[in-house]
Each structure stands twice: as C-alpha cells, then as structure tokens.
Amino acid sequence: MARHLITSALPYINGIKHLGNMVGSMLPADVYSRYMRQRGHDVLYICATDEHGTPAELAAKEAGLPVDVFCAQQHEAQKAIYDGFGLAFDYFGRSSSPQNVEITQRIARELKTNGFIEERSIRQVYSITDGRFLPDRYIEGTCPHCGYDRARGDQCENCTRVLDPTDLIDARSAISGSSDLEVRETKHLFLLQSKLADEVGAWVEEHGKQWPTLASSIARKWLTEGLQDRAITRDLDWGVPVPADTWPELAAEGKVFYVWFDAPIEYIGATKEWADLDPANRDWKSWWYDVDTTVRYTEFMAKDNVPFHTVMFPATLLGTRDVWKKVDFVKAFNWLTYYGGKFSTSQKRGVFTDAALEVLPADYWRYFLMANAPESDDTSFTWEHFTATVNKDLADTLGNFVNRVLSFSRKRFGDEVPAGKAAGEAEEHLGEEIARLLAEYEEHMDTLQFRKAAAALRALWSAGNSYLEEKAPWLEIKSDPEAAALTLRTAMNLIHLYAIVSEPFIPASAAAMRSAFALEGDTARWVGQGEARALASVPAGTAFRVPPVLFAKITEEDLESYRERFGGTEEPVAAAEPTEPKAK
C-alpha cells in the first residue's frame, strides 16, 4: 500500500511536554513520516492537542483564564515548540474543534443505535456550594495512605495509590474549596465494552501479530483481565457535549463525553479539520472511511497510551458497525527517564521541550533521542551520555567529515568540485559498502526499528571517515594531486548522500549539507542502490560553499551548567507497568 496514515498520541494541553513525551510519540512519527515521503509514498501525518478533561479546567482556573482561551494559548505555545523541533505534521489540530464534536457525537449515536451505549445511575459526589456534581479529579483531600494533603479523588500524586473520592480525609471541592459535599445519584452513559470483548479480542489477534511485543502484550493483558463497561460521560463545563437529540435529559444536565472517548476520535476530527481548509483538493474520508485495503495506518505512542488505542478505541469503532479505518501497526515505546527517575515539572528535574531548544538546536535532540529510543526497555537520559553521543557521532563523525572535506578542497582546488582521476578500487569498495549500509538502514526504517536505523546511519557516516583516513588526501596532494582530487570528489558525493538519507533524523543539518552544493535541479528524494555505488551525483565543476560548523562540541563547562540547571542524579525509580492510562 502506497498511502500511509500516521498519527502520534495527542499531547495533553496542560503544560509543556518533556523529552520523554517527545520521543514516545511525536518525534518517531515525524522521522517515519519524513522517511516514507522520501521513499515516494503518499503520507498524511496527523496530530493535535488533547484539550478536554478535568486538568484543563483546573489549569485554566489557576491561570485565571476561561478554559477556551487557556487551551487556545496552550495550543499555540505547544505548536511553536513542535515547529522548533522540526515536526512536519501535515496538520496539527485541536480536539475542541467543531469537527471533532460532530464526529464524536455521530459515533456515539451509532453506538447507541447498535446497543453498545446505555444510561446507568451511579452515586457521585455533589458540591452544594458549587451546585454541581464533581468529577473525581475535582475533589481534593488528605490521602489516607500517605497523608498527602492535596490528593485527588482518583489518585494520590504523592504515593500513586488509586483512590475513590470517599476515601479522602477532609474532602473538599477543587473549585471552591468547600467541604459541603454529599453523595447523590446521577446518570451517565456507559460504553458496553463487555459486549464487544470477543470482537476486540479477535481483532487484536488478527492485527496485533506484527505489532511490537510491548504493544501486543499490553493489549492482550487487558483482554485477558476482561473488558469492563466504562462510563464515557463526565460532569464538566468543557468537552464534547452529549447530543440533545439523542440524550435530552443528560444534555440538559450539561454532561460531556469523557476525554478518553473523544480524544482518539480527534485523529479523524483533525483529518477533517485539515480537509476543510481545502475541500476541493482534500477528502478526509479517503483516509478514514472504507479504506482498509488502500491505507496503512500506523500509530505512535508511549506504553501508557496503548490500552486505549488498542482496546477502547477499536471497540468504539467496531461498535459503530461502520467501515471506519482501524490501526494496522502500533509502535509503542517504553519510558525515557531522567537519571533513572521521573521527569518533574514541580521539582525542576529533567529537560522539557521548550528548555531543550533554548540550550541546543533541535537536531542535537532529535538524533540523540532516536538513537537511544526506549523501544525494548526504559532508557535513562543523562547529560554525560547525551554529551558523549553529540560529540562523537554528530560533531566528530559527521560534522568534522563535512567541514574538513569541503574546507580542504576549497583551499587546494577552489570553489568547485575537482575532477581528478577516474574512480578506482578504493572507490568501488566504498560504493559497495555504502550500498550495503544503505540497504540495512532502509530495512530498519521500513520495520520502524529506530535505534537500529540510527546505528546504520552512523555506520554510513563512519564509512566516509574510514575512506578518508585510508586515502589521506592531505598526503596524496603532495605527490599526486589528481588522486587527491578524486578522493575529495568522492567524499563530496558522500556528503550529498548523507544529506539525503540523514534528513529524517536531522532535517536542518541535512538541508545545510545539501545546500552546500549548487546543483541545478537537485530534486532527488532518495538514493538508489546504483547511485550509492557510483557516488557520482555531484559532478566535477559543481560550485560549492563551506557551511558553518554543523555541530559544536559540548564542553565540560557546558555539561556542568546543564547539570546545575536541570538537576543532578538520583536513585533510580522503577516505572510501573501501565494499568490505567493517566486520567485527563
């Protein structure tokens, strides 16, 4: 299939994301999207901010802003950072969009028609002072287990125990602070996952065979434990409203859909947002509706998001009895930790994406994160490892190769690629090695093995250095200038090849390398095996320039300042396997 739909887990609206969020979804999706576009595929990469749920309302209240204004500001702030990281979304939408409201309500109606949504009465905390029912996260109090006095009604952030609002000591409303609370009966909509369990199980069994073990094992664990019917509405002011034409009583009470119900649907909603910008040339249904054999859909996410994307969202789509596209491949990631412990905004521990771009250019982060992506296990970020990787791989292996080849050639032969001798045995051997490594790189990218792909890319860069050391043009120039010219011409062709194949990982640096050569009509998207062997895409006589240093080395002084700013080491903290995705 030549059409590829790609989505990454929606970043939550509440706060700037840290590097773990970046490497767990958006960055690998971008690397893969870029690669697939270069290989000639029709690609649509969709993402959006996830804007509903209790934390958004509470954060807006704390900021003293209406929640819609708060979310609009946070969306722009996050989008600016993702632009800074070079994330080439085809569209970056918002789950609060009218398109998502429309499609979410449509899907809910279909589920009701097919008998997979029903109203149920439950007992819920009501705030007399606020005059409203309170979602669990709108209730604060003292944790009965650890004594933390700001525990939420669903979970204590201090000891991580899962709680019920009635467990809290001195419970109070997070809105008004009032403790004038009582338990009342109210109605909510429930998605009858239990009735869909067999269908979801069969679907996972069929489609999950090729998924990474991390994704398939989490999905099967949830299915083995049994799917429970789940409340899919909440008592909030901000969210997708329950449609009045279908549930008039609940709509009159102001019920909205649970964020985990509407957020995955926003993948479809954001695609419609994209299409609505140019309806004459874009058709959102051609990506999402009745396209099982023509579109390959790949999702990227961290492991805590896996259950809802491999179980609840497929159950939702299956229950519509409609021909919605469902995911073909789920690329799941483990955690990126900070010195073995958690990233923490409140404790100022770890690197967050806005600060990362203040410190160093995006390509430093992109390469390091993908070369150390937490695919098979959790990965610990340390400044020492980051520094060593940047200095060795980017500064020494790639950057130094580019600079010394172009600088030496300009000094000895001027501002055009020299001609020199015809390629000989060394160049033939190099071409075969480059073709072999390129095929290895392609294989790992095709199968979404990013650490292995980064290793193959690094090996391609190293091959150029080995060739340069073997030929030693700084010695050849003394006795055989034509031989030195051949070496440099070959090395310049390597630089051009590196510019093309490195683009998914380090797009800004790749563009700088490619623009060094004044090649007319240089529109090559990828490098074929024949081209890799020939290394002749940049002919003699091509004008070139020496770009600024691609990668500056990180010094010991830099390293110390980073440790001081972002926090030092701590004892490793084991990351728990996901049971329930984090509440929103």
Side-chain angles (χ1 to χ4, degrees):
M1 287 179 279
R3 302 180 71 222
H4 289 263
L5 174 64
I6 296 170
T7 65
S8 51
L10 309 186
Y12 196 60
I13 197 67
N14 189 14
I16 301 302
K17 306 302 129 190
H18 57 65
L19 293 182
N21 303 127
M22 178 63 69
V23 74
S25 58
M26 290 176 286
L27 180 55
D30 178 71
V31 170
Y32 184 62
S33 298
R34 287 175 176 274
Y35 170 75
M36 296 305 285
R37 291 189 195 104
Q38 285 187 276
R39 299 306 305 273
H41 297 287
D42 187 6
V43 172
L44 186 65
Y45 175 23
I46 294 292
C47 193
T49 38
D50 179 4
E51 301 189 4
H52 295 140
T54 310
E57 287 196 2
L58 292 176
K61 178 177 178 289
E62 187 174 337
L65 293 170
V67 66
D68 58 337
V69 174
F70 172 80
C71 288
Q73 291 181 358
Q74 289 298 309
H75 172 83
E76 291 303 317
Q78 289 199 27
K79 180 62 166 59
I81 292 170
Y82 305 146
D83 288 344
F85 267 89
L87 302 184
F89 306 115
D90 287 287
Y91 189 74
F92 186 69
R94 302 180 61 189
S95 69
S96 60
S97 69
Q99 292 88 342
N100 193 40
V101 171
E102 173 194 341
I103 297 171
T104 298
Q105 291 179 339
R106 168 186 167 177
I107 285 175
R109 291 187 189 101
E110 291 174 345
L111 288 165
K112 179 181 185 296
T113 298
N114 296 326
F116 295 118
I117 286 182
E118 70 177 24
E119 291 184 38
R120 292 182 181 176
S121 294
I122 65 169
R123 293 177 63 76
Q124 189 174 340
V125 174
Y126 184 88
S127 169
I128 296 172
T129 301
D130 299 313
R132 61 179 287 179
F133 285 98
L134 299 179
D136 293 351
R137 287 177 65 88
Y138 266 38
I139 306 164
E140 293 181 342
T142 300
C143 175
H145 303 287
C146 70
Y148 180 60
D149 64 359
R150 295 190 64 188
R152 302 284 191 191
D154 61 339
Q155 187 177 30
C156 175
E157 293 182 358
N158 185 56
C159 70
T160 73
R161 294 282 191 94
V162 175
L163 301 171
D164 187 272
T166 56
D167 295 333
L168 294 173
I169 301 168
D170 298 326
R172 60 193 179 274
S173 165
I175 301 171
S176 61
S178 171
S179 59
D180 192 5
L181 310 176
E182 64 182 34
V183 177
R184 295 184 181 180
E185 190 171 274
T186 186
K187 289 183 178 179
H188 280 284
L189 298 181
F190 278 72
L191 177 64
L192 306 185
Q193 293 187 133
S194 59
K195 294 176 66 173
L196 289 159
D198 290 343
E199 288 182 55
V200 177
W203 180 83
V204 169
E205 186 61 31
E206 178 185 355
H207 291 82
K209 293 175 182 176
Q210 303 302 317
W211 298 352
T213 301
L214 179 62
S216 60
S217 62
I218 292 173
R220 291 191 175 100
K221 179 175 183 287
W222 269 50
L223 289 166
T224 299
E225 292 174 353
L227 296 190
Q228 304 298 313
D229 299 338
R230 180 178 288 273
I232 57 167
T233 51
R234 294 291 189 270
D235 294 283
L236 296 170
D237 295 327
W238 177 245
V240 174
V242 170
D245 59 1
T246 311
W247 294 282
E249 181 184 343
L250 298 188
E253 294 174 2
K255 308 283 188 186
V256 301
F257 285 107
Y258 176 37
V259 62
W260 270 112
F261 182 74
D262 82 85
I265 297 172
E266 167 59 7
Y267 296 134
I268 307 173
T271 309
K272 190 172 189 301
E273 293 172 53
W274 164 80
D276 286 350
L277 294 174
D278 187 9
N281 298 300
R282 299 174 180 176
D283 178 10
W284 68 274
K285 284 190 175 181
S286 73
W287 292 95
W288 281 104
Y289 198 76
D290 201 14
V291 290
D292 268 346
T293 60
T294 59
V295 172
R296 179 171 173 81
Y297 176 22
T298 305
E299 289 182 344
F300 291 80
M301 70 198 68
K303 59 187 175 183
D304 58 329
N305 283 322
V306 168
F308 270 39
H309 288 77
T310 60
V311 177
M312 183 174 176
F313 189 35
T316 298
L317 296 181
L318 286 166
T320 66
R321 301 301 186 230
D322 215 338
V323 286
W324 294 110
K325 177 64 183 175
K326 290 170 282 293
V327 67
D328 294 296
F329 192 85
V330 178
K331 178 64 177 179
F333 292 85
N334 288 283
W335 306 125
L336 178 73
T337 64
Y338 187 76
Y339 286 91
K342 293 180 179 179
F343 286 79
S344 172
T345 306
S346 60
Q347 298 176 25
K348 297 182 180 179
R349 289 200 68 261
V351 188
F352 287 73
T353 50
D354 55 346
L357 294 178
E358 292 173 7
V359 170
L360 289 166
D363 281 359
Y364 291 61
W365 300 106
R366 289 177 63 104
Y367 176 76
F368 174 82
L369 291 171
M370 296 313 300
N372 298 279
E375 292 175 299
S376 59
D377 207 344
D378 292 349
T379 298
S380 177
F381 176 92
T382 71
W383 282 107
E384 294 76 14
H385 185 202
F386 176 76
T387 298
T389 300
V390 167
N391 288 351
K392 181 180 178 183
D393 293 358
L394 295 179
D396 287 344
T397 305
L398 178 60
N400 186 49
F401 177 81
V402 172
N403 184 264
R404 64 175 176 162
V405 166
L406 296 179
S407 297
F408 185 73
S409 187
R410 184 180 63 178
K411 180 179 179 181
R412 293 306 184 116
F413 294 101
D415 294 328
E416 293 183 353
V417 176
K421 295 181 175 180
E425 184 178 336
E427 287 70 38
E428 182 179 349
H429 175 76
L430 173 66
E432 291 296 329
E433 178 71 357
I434 293 297
R436 182 187 68 81
L437 291 170
L438 180 60
E440 185 179 317
Y441 177 56
E442 291 171 350
E443 178 187 353
H444 296 318
M445 289 294 282
D446 287 338
T447 55
L448 290 82
Q449 298 292 316
F450 293 107
R451 290 181 74 145
K452 291 180 179 179
L457 182 60
R458 182 169 57 245
L460 278 165
W461 300 340
S462 295
N465 283 277
S466 296
Y467 168 75
L468 207 62
E469 291 301 319
E470 176 190 346
K471 293 297 293 293
W474 50 88
L475 298 178
E476 286 181 312
I477 194 76
K478 297 176 182 178
S479 58
D480 191 347
E482 291 297 290
L486 163 63
T487 300
L488 293 169
R489 187 184 80 236
T490 303
M492 289 188 196
N493 272 278
L494 278 177
I495 292 171
H496 187 260
L497 180 146
Y498 294 161
I500 295 174
V501 303
S502 303
E503 193 264 344
F505 282 78
I506 48 172
S509 305
M513 285 188 279
R514 194 159 183 171
S515 66
F517 302 101
L519 278 173
E520 285 191 23
D522 182 19
T523 59
R525 296 172 102 181
W526 198 247
V527 180
Q529 286 287 300
E531 295 168 301
R533 290 187 176 88
L535 292 173
S537 296
V538 183
T542 301
F544 72 90
R545 63 180 183 84
V546 181
V549 173
L550 292 177
F551 304 100
K553 280 197 170 185
I554 298 174
T555 66
E556 281 297 322
E557 291 75 16
D558 294 332
L559 179 58
E560 185 56 39
S561 70
Y562 301 153
R563 289 196 199 100
E564 183 177 347
R565 174 176 175 179
F566 296 100
T569 63
E570 70 170 24
E571 289 298 313
V573 177
E577 286 298 315
T579 51
E580 284 280 334
K582 295 175 183 176
K584 295 179 183 176

PDB file of all heavy atoms in Angstrom, residues 61-86:
ATOM      1  N   LYS A  61      -8.430  27.556  35.472  1.00  0.00           N
ATOM      2  CA  LYS A  61      -8.863  28.262  36.685  1.00  0.00           C
ATOM      3  C   LYS A  61      -7.656  28.840  37.423  1.00  0.00           C
ATOM      4  O   LYS A  61      -7.670  29.994  37.860  1.00  0.00           O
ATOM      5  CB  LYS A  61      -9.630  27.292  37.587  1.00  0.00           C
ATOM      6  CG  LYS A  61     -10.102  27.882  38.910  1.00  0.00           C
ATOM      7  CD  LYS A  61     -10.909  26.851  39.678  1.00  0.00           C
ATOM      8  CE  LYS A  61     -11.348  27.417  41.040  1.00  0.00           C
ATOM      9  NZ  LYS A  61     -10.233  27.553  41.966  1.00  0.00           N
ATOM     10  N   GLU A  62      -6.596  28.052  37.530  1.00  0.00           N
ATOM     11  CA  GLU A  62      -5.389  28.512  38.216  1.00  0.00           C
ATOM     12  C   GLU A  62      -4.756  29.687  37.475  1.00  0.00           C
ATOM     13  O   GLU A  62      -4.187  30.593  38.090  1.00  0.00           O
ATOM     14  CB  GLU A  62      -4.387  27.361  38.328  1.00  0.00           C
ATOM     15  CG  GLU A  62      -3.173  27.683  39.167  1.00  0.00           C
ATOM     16  CD  GLU A  62      -2.280  26.470  39.372  1.00  0.00           C
ATOM     17  OE1 GLU A  62      -2.779  25.330  39.251  1.00  0.00           O
ATOM     18  OE2 GLU A  62      -1.086  26.665  39.644  1.00  0.00           O
ATOM     19  N   ALA A  63      -4.858  29.663  36.133  1.00  0.00           N
ATOM     20  CA  ALA A  63      -4.291  30.742  35.331  1.00  0.00           C
ATOM     21  C   ALA A  63      -5.198  31.962  35.265  1.00  0.00           C
ATOM     22  O   ALA A  63      -4.816  33.004  34.706  1.00  0.00           O
ATOM     23  CB  ALA A  63      -4.017  30.231  33.919  1.00  0.00           C
ATOM     24  N   GLY A  64      -6.415  31.829  35.800  1.00  0.00           N
ATOM     25  CA  GLY A  64      -7.353  32.934  35.780  1.00  0.00           C
ATOM     26  C   GLY A  64      -7.909  33.233  34.407  1.00  0.00           C
ATOM     27  O   GLY A  64      -8.220  34.383  34.084  1.00  0.00           O
ATOM     28  N   LEU A  65      -8.032  32.187  33.584  1.00  0.00           N
ATOM     29  CA  LEU A  65      -8.494  32.358  32.212  1.00  0.00           C
ATOM     30  C   LEU A  65      -9.705  31.471  31.941  1.00  0.00           C
ATOM     31  O   LEU A  65      -9.820  30.383  32.515  1.00  0.00           O
ATOM     32  CB  LEU A  65      -7.387  31.967  31.219  1.00  0.00           C
ATOM     33  CG  LEU A  65      -6.137  32.838  31.180  1.00  0.00           C
ATOM     34  CD1 LEU A  65      -5.069  32.164  30.328  1.00  0.00           C
ATOM     35  CD2 LEU A  65      -6.463  34.226  30.641  1.00  0.00           C
ATOM     36  N   PRO A  66     -10.595  31.900  31.051  1.00  0.00           N
ATOM     37  CA  PRO A  66     -11.623  30.979  30.573  1.00  0.00           C
ATOM     38  C   PRO A  66     -10.947  29.780  29.920  1.00  0.00           C
ATOM     39  O   PRO A  66      -9.894  29.924  29.288  1.00  0.00           O
ATOM     40  CB  PRO A  66     -12.399  31.806  29.538  1.00  0.00           C
ATOM     41  CG  PRO A  66     -12.087  33.230  29.871  1.00  0.00           C
ATOM     42  CD  PRO A  66     -10.705  33.227  30.438  1.00  0.00           C
ATOM     43  N   VAL A  67     -11.540  28.612  30.070  1.00  0.00           N
ATOM     44  CA  VAL A  67     -10.856  27.402  29.623  1.00  0.00           C
ATOM     45  C   VAL A  67     -10.614  27.407  28.118  1.00  0.00           C
ATOM     46  O   VAL A  67      -9.576  26.915  27.648  1.00  0.00           O
ATOM     47  CB  VAL A  67     -11.634  26.139  30.071  1.00  0.00           C
ATOM     48  CG1 VAL A  67     -12.988  26.044  29.389  1.00  0.00           C
ATOM     49  CG2 VAL A  67     -10.813  24.881  29.826  1.00  0.00           C
ATOM     50  N   ASP A  68     -11.517  27.990  27.325  1.00  0.00           N
ATOM     51  CA  ASP A  68     -11.296  28.018  25.884  1.00  0.00           C
ATOM     52  C   ASP A  68     -10.117  28.916  25.517  1.00  0.00           C
ATOM     53  O   ASP A  68      -9.321  28.592  24.628  1.00  0.00           O
ATOM     54  CB  ASP A  68     -12.563  28.443  25.137  1.00  0.00           C
ATOM     55  CG  ASP A  68     -13.068  29.813  25.564  1.00  0.00           C
ATOM     56  OD1 ASP A  68     -12.756  30.256  26.686  1.00  0.00           O
ATOM     57  OD2 ASP A  68     -13.792  30.431  24.755  1.00  0.00           O
ATOM     58  N   VAL A  69      -9.980  30.032  26.232  1.00  0.00           N
ATOM     59  CA  VAL A  69      -8.850  30.934  25.998  1.00  0.00           C
ATOM     60  C   VAL A  69      -7.548  30.265  26.419  1.00  0.00           C
ATOM     61  O   VAL A  69      -6.529  30.329  25.708  1.00  0.00           O
ATOM     62  CB  VAL A  69      -9.047  32.260  26.755  1.00  0.00           C
ATOM     63  CG1 VAL A  69      -7.806  33.144  26.637  1.00  0.00           C
ATOM     64  CG2 VAL A  69     -10.276  32.988  26.230  1.00  0.00           C
ATOM     65  N   PHE A  70      -7.572  29.618  27.581  1.00  0.00           N
ATOM     66  CA  PHE A  70      -6.384  28.915  28.069  1.00  0.00           C
ATOM     67  C   PHE A  70      -5.924  27.864  27.059  1.00  0.00           C
ATOM     68  O   PHE A  70      -4.738  27.787  26.722  1.00  0.00           O
ATOM     69  CB  PHE A  70      -6.699  28.253  29.417  1.00  0.00           C
ATOM     70  CG  PHE A  70      -5.616  27.335  29.918  1.00  0.00           C
ATOM     71  CD1 PHE A  70      -4.490  27.847  30.549  1.00  0.00           C
ATOM     72  CD2 PHE A  70      -5.717  25.956  29.744  1.00  0.00           C
ATOM     73  CE1 PHE A  70      -3.486  26.992  31.009  1.00  0.00           C
ATOM     74  CE2 PHE A  70      -4.724  25.104  30.203  1.00  0.00           C
ATOM     75  CZ  PHE A  70      -3.599  25.622  30.831  1.00  0.00           C
ATOM     76  N   CYS A  71      -6.853  27.059  26.564  1.00  0.00           N
ATOM     77  CA  CYS A  71      -6.497  25.996  25.626  1.00  0.00           C
ATOM     78  C   CYS A  71      -5.975  26.560  24.314  1.00  0.00           C
ATOM     79  O   CYS A  71      -5.026  26.016  23.730  1.00  0.00           O
ATOM     80  CB  CYS A  71      -7.692  25.084  25.372  1.00  0.00           C
ATOM     81  SG  CYS A  71      -8.104  24.022  26.776  1.00  0.00           S
ATOM     82  N   ALA A  72      -6.553  27.643  23.855  1.00  0.00           N
ATOM     83  CA  ALA A  72      -6.077  28.263  22.611  1.00  0.00           C
ATOM     84  C   ALA A  72      -4.641  28.752  22.764  1.00  0.00           C
ATOM     85  O   ALA A  72      -3.798  28.559  21.877  1.00  0.00           O
ATOM     86  CB  ALA A  72      -6.990  29.418  22.215  1.00  0.00           C
ATOM     87  N   GLN A  73      -4.346  29.357  23.921  1.00  0.00           N
ATOM     88  CA  GLN A  73      -2.982  29.844  24.165  1.00  0.00           C
ATOM     89  C   GLN A  73      -1.994  28.690  24.275  1.00  0.00           C
ATOM     90  O   GLN A  73      -0.885  28.734  23.700  1.00  0.00           O
ATOM     91  CB  GLN A  73      -2.948  30.687  25.442  1.00  0.00           C
ATOM     92  CG  GLN A  73      -3.665  32.015  25.337  1.00  0.00           C
ATOM     93  CD  GLN A  73      -3.572  32.819  26.620  1.00  0.00           C
ATOM     94  OE1 GLN A  73      -2.988  32.375  27.632  1.00  0.00           O
ATOM     95  NE2 GLN A  73      -4.147  34.021  26.614  1.00  0.00           N
ATOM     96  N   GLN A  74      -2.387  27.645  24.993  1.00  0.00           N
ATOM     97  CA  GLN A  74      -1.501  26.498  25.168  1.00  0.00           C
ATOM     98  C   GLN A  74      -1.275  25.754  23.851  1.00  0.00           C
ATOM     99  O   GLN A  74      -0.187  25.234  23.597  1.00  0.00           O
ATOM    100  CB  GLN A  74      -2.077  25.555  26.218  1.00  0.00           C
ATOM    101  CG  GLN A  74      -2.022  26.077  27.632  1.00  0.00           C
ATOM    102  CD  GLN A  74      -0.600  26.312  28.105  1.00  0.00           C
ATOM    103  OE1 GLN A  74       0.257  25.434  28.007  1.00  0.00           O
ATOM    104  NE2 GLN A  74      -0.322  27.504  28.600  1.00  0.00           N
ATOM    105  N   HIS A  75      -2.303  25.700  23.013  1.00  0.00           N
ATOM    106  CA  HIS A  75      -2.145  25.069  21.702  1.00  0.00           C
ATOM    107  C   HIS A  75      -1.070  25.795  20.890  1.00  0.00           C
ATOM    108  O   HIS A  75      -0.181  25.150  20.298  1.00  0.00           O
ATOM    109  CB  HIS A  75      -3.468  25.087  20.942  1.00  0.00           C
ATOM    110  CG  HIS A  75      -3.357  24.625  19.520  1.00  0.00           C
ATOM    111  ND1 HIS A  75      -3.377  23.293  19.160  1.00  0.00           N
ATOM    112  CD2 HIS A  75      -3.198  25.319  18.360  1.00  0.00           C
ATOM    113  CE1 HIS A  75      -3.238  23.193  17.845  1.00  0.00           C
ATOM    114  NE2 HIS A  75      -3.124  24.400  17.337  1.00  0.00           N
ATOM    115  N   GLU A  76      -1.124  27.109  20.867  1.00  0.00           N
ATOM    116  CA  GLU A  76      -0.141  27.879  20.115  1.00  0.00           C
ATOM    117  C   GLU A  76       1.252  27.724  20.711  1.00  0.00           C
ATOM    118  O   GLU A  76       2.248  27.640  19.980  1.00  0.00           O
ATOM    119  CB  GLU A  76      -0.548  29.358  20.071  1.00  0.00           C
ATOM    120  CG  GLU A  76      -1.789  29.622  19.237  1.00  0.00           C
ATOM    121  CD  GLU A  76      -1.645  29.129  17.802  1.00  0.00           C
ATOM    122  OE1 GLU A  76      -0.569  29.338  17.199  1.00  0.00           O
ATOM    123  OE2 GLU A  76      -2.605  28.524  17.283  1.00  0.00           O
ATOM    124  N   ALA A  77       1.333  27.690  22.041  1.00  0.00           N
ATOM    125  CA  ALA A  77       2.635  27.527  22.700  1.00  0.00           C
ATOM    126  C   ALA A  77       3.252  26.176  22.358  1.00  0.00           C
ATOM    127  O   ALA A  77       4.453  26.068  22.051  1.00  0.00           O
ATOM    128  CB  ALA A  77       2.483  27.680  24.213  1.00  0.00           C
ATOM    129  N   GLN A  78       2.437  25.121  22.410  1.00  0.00           N
ATOM    130  CA  GLN A  78       2.964  23.800  22.078  1.00  0.00           C
ATOM    131  C   GLN A  78       3.332  23.711  20.599  1.00  0.00           C
ATOM    132  O   GLN A  78       4.378  23.164  20.249  1.00  0.00           O
ATOM    133  CB  GLN A  78       1.938  22.718  22.440  1.00  0.00           C
ATOM    134  CG  GLN A  78       1.766  22.508  23.928  1.00  0.00           C
ATOM    135  CD  GLN A  78       1.120  21.178  24.255  1.00  0.00           C
ATOM    136  OE1 GLN A  78       1.213  20.216  23.510  1.00  0.00           O
ATOM    137  NE2 GLN A  78       0.446  21.116  25.384  1.00  0.00           N
ATOM    138  N   LYS A  79       2.482  24.252  19.740  1.00  0.00           N
ATOM    139  CA  LYS A  79       2.754  24.183  18.302  1.00  0.00           C
ATOM    140  C   LYS A  79       4.072  24.865  17.967  1.00  0.00           C
ATOM    141  O   LYS A  79       4.849  24.384  17.122  1.00  0.00           O
ATOM    142  CB  LYS A  79       1.606  24.843  17.523  1.00  0.00           C
ATOM    143  CG  LYS A  79       1.779  24.825  16.010  1.00  0.00           C
ATOM    144  CD  LYS A  79       1.841  23.400  15.457  1.00  0.00           C
ATOM    145  CE  LYS A  79       1.660  23.354  13.949  1.00  0.00           C
ATOM    146  NZ  LYS A  79       2.659  24.117  13.191  1.00  0.00           N
ATOM    147  N   ALA A  80       4.371  25.980  18.613  1.00  0.00           N
ATOM    148  CA  ALA A  80       5.627  26.689  18.366  1.00  0.00           C
ATOM    149  C   ALA A  80       6.832  25.817  18.720  1.00  0.00           C
ATOM    150  O   ALA A  80       7.843  25.803  18.007  1.00  0.00           O
ATOM    151  CB  ALA A  80       5.663  27.999  19.158  1.00  0.00           C
ATOM    152  N   ILE A  81       6.719  25.074  19.817  1.00  0.00           N
ATOM    153  CA  ILE A  81       7.815  24.185  20.217  1.00  0.00           C
ATOM    154  C   ILE A  81       7.979  23.051  19.214  1.00  0.00           C
ATOM    155  O   ILE A  81       9.100  22.709  18.815  1.00  0.00           O
ATOM    156  CB  ILE A  81       7.561  23.639  21.635  1.00  0.00           C
ATOM    157  CG1 ILE A  81       7.659  24.767  22.663  1.00  0.00           C
ATOM    158  CG2 ILE A  81       8.549  22.520  21.969  1.00  0.00           C
ATOM    159  CD1 ILE A  81       7.191  24.380  24.040  1.00  0.00           C
ATOM    160  N   TYR A  82       6.877  22.473  18.770  1.00  0.00           N
ATOM    161  CA  TYR A  82       6.967  21.363  17.823  1.00  0.00           C
ATOM    162  C   TYR A  82       7.509  21.836  16.477  1.00  0.00           C
ATOM    163  O   TYR A  82       8.263  21.110  15.816  1.00  0.00           O
ATOM    164  CB  TYR A  82       5.605  20.691  17.668  1.00  0.00           C
ATOM    165  CG  TYR A  82       5.022  20.234  18.996  1.00  0.00           C
ATOM    166  CD1 TYR A  82       3.655  20.261  19.245  1.00  0.00           C
ATOM    167  CD2 TYR A  82       5.857  19.810  20.026  1.00  0.00           C
ATOM    168  CE1 TYR A  82       3.139  19.871  20.475  1.00  0.00           C
ATOM    169  CE2 TYR A  82       5.350  19.424  21.256  1.00  0.00           C
ATOM    170  CZ  TYR A  82       3.988  19.459  21.472  1.00  0.00           C
ATOM    171  OH  TYR A  82       3.489  19.074  22.697  1.00  0.00           O
ATOM    172  N   ASP A  83       7.173  23.070  16.098  1.00  0.00           N
ATOM    173  CA  ASP A  83       7.791  23.652  14.906  1.00  0.00           C
ATOM    174  C   ASP A  83       9.298  23.775  15.115  1.00  0.00           C
ATOM    175  O   ASP A  83      10.088  23.509  14.198  1.00  0.00           O
ATOM    176  CB  ASP A  83       7.200  25.040  14.616  1.00  0.00           C
ATOM    177  CG  ASP A  83       5.779  24.972  14.080  1.00  0.00           C
ATOM    178  OD1 ASP A  83       5.348  23.879  13.651  1.00  0.00           O
ATOM    179  OD2 ASP A  83       5.088  26.019  14.108  1.00  0.00           O
ATOM    180  N   GLY A  84       9.688  24.183  16.316  1.00  0.00           N
ATOM    181  CA  GLY A  84      11.110  24.307  16.628  1.00  0.00           C
ATOM    182  C   GLY A  84      11.852  22.991  16.548  1.00  0.00           C
ATOM    183  O   GLY A  84      13.036  22.952  16.202  1.00  0.00           O
ATOM    184  N   PHE A  85      11.160  21.890  16.860  1.00  0.00           N
ATOM    185  CA  PHE A  85      11.761  20.564  16.758  1.00  0.00           C
ATOM    186  C   PHE A  85      11.723  20.015  15.329  1.00  0.00           C
ATOM    187  O   PHE A  85      12.194  18.907  15.081  1.00  0.00           O
ATOM    188  CB  PHE A  85      11.059  19.582  17.704  1.00  0.00           C
ATOM    189  CG  PHE A  85      11.712  19.469  19.051  1.00  0.00           C
ATOM    190  CD1 PHE A  85      11.337  20.324  20.083  1.00  0.00           C
ATOM    191  CD2 PHE A  85      12.705  18.539  19.286  1.00  0.00           C
ATOM    192  CE1 PHE A  85      11.945  20.227  21.330  1.00  0.00           C
ATOM    193  CE2 PHE A  85      13.316  18.445  20.526  1.00  0.00           C
ATOM    194  CZ  PHE A  85      12.940  19.287  21.556  1.00  0.00           C
ATOM    195  N   GLY A  86      11.145  20.786  14.426  1.00  0.00           N
ATOM    196  CA  GLY A  86      11.093  20.340  13.039  1.00  0.00           C
ATOM    197  C   GLY A  86      10.065  19.263  12.778  1.00  0.00           C
ATOM    198  O   GLY A  86      10.207  18.487  11.821  1.00  0.00           O
TER     199      GLY A  86
END
